[in-house]
């Protein structure tokens, strides 16, 4: 596998562990339906919301912070995937979209930032 694939996969695992430490229940990791994909789907036990989480991991912020990579196209793809998930599992509770941005240079403790309600469906 490529180095960027491994970085992304490791980032998603770090994000899932981070969310668990906050009391979230992870419903799905790398959920896929045809060409649609969600990095993480979790239940925020404090609010009861289902949370669709986009995880972005970088080794360095030299070319921009990880969360800046969630552009309009990525938002639209995530919204479409969340819609499919909601329909497939007949989700009835409230939901939101979060971003977890990770900078992991492999030498220091990774820096994890959690952006709740990071975007809304356009």
């Amino acid at each position: 596998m490529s180095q960027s694939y491994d970085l992304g996969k490791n980032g998603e695992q770090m994000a899932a562990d981070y969310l668990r430490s906050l009391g979230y229940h992870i419903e799905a990791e790398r959920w896929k339906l045809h060409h649609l994909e969600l990095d993480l789907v979790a239940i925020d036990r404090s609010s009861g919301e289902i949370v669709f989480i986009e995880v972005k991991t970088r080794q360095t912020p030299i070319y921009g912070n990880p969360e800046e990579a969630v552009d309009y196209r990525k938002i639209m793809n995530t919204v479409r995937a969340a819609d499919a998930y909601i329909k497939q599992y007949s989700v009835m509770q409230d939901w939101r979209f979060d971003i977890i941005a990770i900078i992991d240079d492999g030498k220091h403790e990774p820096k994890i930032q959690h952006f709740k309600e990071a975007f809304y469906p356009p």
Side-chain angles (χ1 to χ4, degrees), residues 71-86:
D71 58 10
Y72 181 79
R73 182 176 173 203
K74 182 47 129 171
I75 289 170
M76 289 305 298
N77 288 338
T78 302
V79 167
R80 284 185 196 103
D83 184 58
Y85 185 94
I86 288 167

Side-chain angles (χ1 to χ4, degrees), residues 11 14-15 17-18 100-103 109-115:
M14 279 189 269
D17 292 343
Y18 165 80
I100 294 186
I102 301 170
I103 297 177
E109 187 71 26
K111 180 182 175 188
I112 300 174
Q113 288 187 285
H114 185 181
F115 299 92

Side-chain angles (χ1 to χ4, degrees), residues 51-55 67-68 70-71 75 78-79 95-101 113-121:
V51 187
F52 300 102
I53 301 124
E54 180 63 29
V55 180
E67 66 275 12
E68 294 169 1
V70 182
D71 58 10
I75 289 170
T78 302
V79 167
W95 43 265
R96 70 173 196 253
F97 294 96
D98 290 4
I99 297 172
I100 294 186
Q113 288 187 285
H114 185 181
F115 299 92
K116 291 184 179 181
E117 298 183 47
F119 59 88
Y120 300 95

